[in-house]
């Protein structure tokens, strides 16, 4: 998307549920896209997707050269995450990838409740100002709100807010 | 979408390639959505989808109560359509549904090339003004441009303009 404005393209890929391939699949998806040269920032709704397939934000930044921002509505609950990881292969590798995302900064939003921001490849003040200026219609930046509507609309038939 | 502005929801459904179920599936999808009460106009990129599964705009309007506008970039070539229909079941039913969409009005766009508009359930001048005011970033109204990006992005992995 162009900031909080209009949609320019949609990318999609497949990852394994509870797998270890989220980072490499995202790197390939972004670098293989015709939009690659134009993308200034990549945004994530948290670093876990498809169950506990963890995106390593540091690797994603390093291999794409594109700064990465993750925005979530609740601070990560590391205790319950540690417990959940015990039931999966490679718990140490997953936990390390999660920790490499860094501390989440609480950012108050104009809508009352705050969001929590992690970032790689750019300064904190720039990351926060990007989140703030792209959050137009909800607490979340437009690219994340729209990606969520698309994903739920395709999978469930009717999108969920 | 809210006019040419922001995305409020995404709906999806499945139809049969070259089938006869496009109209009923769209009616069910729209009436079953939590957005049903808010939708003021439905837009189509032409009346054929999934090969030659024809949407009957008159039925779509009658069963949903929502006015329908179709916008295409080229006037329909009825001769080649008639030929293509010969290879399918129920060619008469498909042709009648296509003809019920009515004549396409040529609308000049600010971007040079015109678009062609068919409509049911509203006046021509209102249909044309809706198309004009929602076409912000291409010749096509934003809801159709965005739907096309989503569909190609999900199916092909990278959207096509």
């Amino acid at each position: 998307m162009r900031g909080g404005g209009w949609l320019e393209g949609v990318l999609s890929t497949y990852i394994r549920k509870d797998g270890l391939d989220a980072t490499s699949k995202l790197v390939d998806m972004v670098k293989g896209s015709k939009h690659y040269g134009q993308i200034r920032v990549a945004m994530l709704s948290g670093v876990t997707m498809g169950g506990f397939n963890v995106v390593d934000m540091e690797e994603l930044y390093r291999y794409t050269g594109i700064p990465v921002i993750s925005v979530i509505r609740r601070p990560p609950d590391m205790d319950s995450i540690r417990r959940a990881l015990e039931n999966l292969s490679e718990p140490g590798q997953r936990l390390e990838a999660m920790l490499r995302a860094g501390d989440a900064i609480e950012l108050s939003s104009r809508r009352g409740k705050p969001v929590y921001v992690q970032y790689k490849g750019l300064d904190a003040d720039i990351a926060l100002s990007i989140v703030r200026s792209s959050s137009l219609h909800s607490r979340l930046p437009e690219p994340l709100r729209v990606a969520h509507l698309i994903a739920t609309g395709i999978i469930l038939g009717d999108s969920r807010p």
Side-chain angles (χ1 to χ4, degrees), chain A:
Chain A
M1 295 192 71
R2 297 210 176 196
W6 50 292
L7 187 71
E8 282 224 20
V10 174
L11 309 182
S12 65
T13 188
Y14 289 89
I15 61 170
R16 202 172 279 274
K17 182 166 187 299
D18 291 330
L20 297 161
D21 60 349
T23 310
S24 64
K25 288 297 191 67
L26 289 186
V27 169
D28 292 347
M29 183 182 81
V30 168
K31 293 190 75 168
S33 165
K34 60 181 184 302
H35 298 284
Y36 180 43
Q38 289 209 313
I39 303 172
R40 305 279 301 276
V41 165
M43 285 187 174
L44 301 171
S45 291
V47 297
T48 55
M49 39 182 73
F52 257 102
N53 205 329
V54 182
V55 180
D56 185 324
M57 287 176 61
E58 212 163 272
E59 275 196 14
L60 183 55
Y61 167 56
R62 183 158 14 110
Y63 288 116
T64 61
I66 298 171
V68 182
I69 300 173
S70 167
V71 184
I72 47 180
R73 294 188 224 214
R74 271 168 227 90
D77 174 357
M78 291 312 291
D79 283 345
S80 62
I81 287 168
R82 270 174 225 267
R83 275 195 302 276
L85 287 178
E86 281 168 19
N87 304 311
L88 295 167
S89 70
E90 308 291 348
Q93 180 185 335
R94 293 174 205 264
L95 186 63
E96 276 166 33
M98 294 196 71
L99 294 174
R100 268 197 293 276
D103 290 335
I105 299 183
E106 184 176 318
L107 175 66
S108 61
S109 78
R110 278 163 288 179
R111 280 148 217 283
K113 290 183 177 174
V115 295
Y116 300 85
V117 180
Q118 293 163 299
Y119 53 94
K120 288 290 166 194
L122 73 183
D123 291 341
D125 56 338
I126 295 177
L128 296 178
S129 101
I130 290 171
V131 171
R132 222 179 270 118
S133 66
S134 61
S135 300
L136 301 178
H137 304 299
S138 83
R139 268 198 288 163
L140 295 178
E142 276 299 281
L144 298 180
R145 190 186 68 83
V146 165
H148 185 70
L149 290 178
I150 293 172
T152 53
I154 297 294
I155 301 298
L156 305 172
D158 201 348
S159 53
R160 287 191 189 161

